[in-house]
Amino acid sequence: MSAIPSPLFNCRQATLLIERRADTPLPVRPRVQLWAHLRLCPYCRRYALQSARIARAARPAAEAVVPANLALPAVARARMQQLFDAHAGSGG
């Protein structure tokens, strides 16, 4: 006896589609399934709201023009190098 496929996503699939729909429109079937999931799952509804708010808040920073002559302070460069070296030394 074969299992009947669920018309709804689990939360992992739903959050993936929430992020994907921010970049591109979803096809009709996943869009309807996501809509149904969001009607039933308060956690994913909250996630969708928070994701949209974070995207709106980050948009100005992403669109900001960075001056070509902007340099990272030496202290920050040294700290980043230490992190890279530590990460490379850990085998990861």
Side-chain angles (χ1 to χ4, degrees):
M1 183 170 170
S2 65
I4 298 172
S6 171
L8 300 177
F9 294 116
N10 63 34
C11 292
R12 180 178 288 184
Q13 294 166 318
T15 54
L16 177 65
L17 286 176
I18 288 166
E19 296 305 322
R20 193 172 291 162
R21 79 177 177 181
D23 296 330
T24 183
L26 296 175
V28 172
R29 184 181 169 99
R31 188 173 358 132
V32 170
Q33 290 172 311
L34 179 60
W35 177 86
H37 182 89
L38 291 176
R39 291 298 157 280
L40 298 172
C41 180
Y43 305 110
C44 287
R45 275 198 311 271
R46 179 177 295 172
Y47 178 86
L49 252 171
Q50 291 174 339
S51 178
R53 286 180 181 160
I54 290 169
R56 272 194 309 274
R59 189 169 296 127
E63 294 172 351
V65 177
V66 178
N69 62 352
L70 184 64
L72 194 62
V75 173
R77 280 197 306 268
R79 177 74 180 132
M80 288 178 72
Q81 187 63 52
Q82 287 174 345
L83 291 172
F84 286 133
D85 293 344
H87 184 71
S90 69

